[in-house]
Amino acid sequence: MRSWLVWSSFLTALATPGRLPRSVQSFRKIRHMPVSSCTRRLRVRAAPRNSFRAYTTGTMGVPVVDKAFVEDFADGIRAGQGEGILIDVRERNELPYGMIPGAVNIPLSEFVQALEKDTQFWEKQYGIPKVEVDDNVVVYCKSGMRSHQAAAYAAAKGYPNWANYAGSYIDWFGRAY
């Protein structure tokens, strides 16, 4: 609740000229950015039962999924019935703390180059065929920040069916490391 009040007061300050330091006011004039573009409403989407669904869209239009969705998604992958890939974008030194079952690790530091590589590289390096444009992919990390970056990058490169598990490791295991 407290963070919402801080955020609310910050937005109020943005909307009120004269309440911010001159450097910030002049920066806003240079950028020509309306205050309304700083805030974004979450959009709720309905989806057919057996489809890749996301319940909100985050910044830059990246779909965000919750723990229940990831549990079903991971169960489908492990059972061989899943039509998607679960990617862990944490670095290799973070893996001893645990992974969501069924996930494949592609560290964020290798992620940009990996999307440019071919299927042979993916099979050799990660043990899976290269992600196709129409594949359903959920990415996660420790807290959701790096996975958001990965999903946003993939969306910018033309991969429309990527979603970010915003809760990531902390939500899945109920603790941080």
Side-chain angles (χ1 to χ4, degrees), residues 5-171:
L5 291 173
V6 170
W7 182 247
S8 175
S9 62
F10 173 73
L11 291 177
T12 303
L14 277 178
T16 310
R19 289 197 59 192
L20 294 174
R22 288 200 183 279
S23 60
V24 175
Q25 289 176 18
S26 62
F27 177 75
R28 282 190 57 220
K29 288 177 186 173
I30 292 169
R31 295 278 316 264
H32 304 290
M33 182 175 69
V35 175
S36 62
S37 67
C38 296
T39 60
R40 179 180 211 150
R41 291 183 183 212
L42 297 177
R43 292 178 284 173
V44 177
R45 291 198 233 172
R49 186 171 163 102
N50 291 324
S51 68
F52 183 73
R53 64 196 185 282
Y55 68 92
T56 64
T57 57
T59 308
M60 295 176 60
V62 175
V64 178
V65 294
D66 62 354
K67 185 175 182 178
F69 178 83
V70 175
E71 286 173 345
D72 293 341
F73 194 73
D75 288 343
I77 291 171
R78 283 192 310 253
Q81 302 166 359
E83 297 178 7
I85 301 168
L86 182 61
I87 297 178
D88 181 349
V89 294
R90 296 177 298 152
E91 299 301 318
R92 296 196 199 300
N93 63 343
E94 297 176 89
L95 297 182
Y97 298 106
M99 286 179 68
I100 296 175
V104 176
N105 177 247
I106 303 174
L108 188 61
S109 60
E110 301 173 10
F111 186 77
V112 172
Q113 292 83 14
L115 277 183
E116 305 298 325
K117 301 288 183 174
D118 62 355
T119 300
Q120 291 176 340
F121 173 83
W122 277 64
E123 288 176 350
K124 181 181 175 189
Q125 188 74 18
Y126 309 117
I128 60 170
K130 183 180 181 200
V131 175
E132 299 295 329
V133 174
D134 59 344
D135 287 344
N136 296 323
V137 179
V138 174
V139 287
Y140 77 95
C141 61
K142 180 180 178 184
S143 64
M145 299 301 284
R146 289 175 285 179
S147 56
H148 174 77
Q149 291 174 346
Y153 179 79
K157 285 294 187 178
Y159 293 85
N161 299 331
W162 285 55
N164 175 26
Y165 175 24
S168 288
Y169 176 93
I170 294 173
D171 185 40

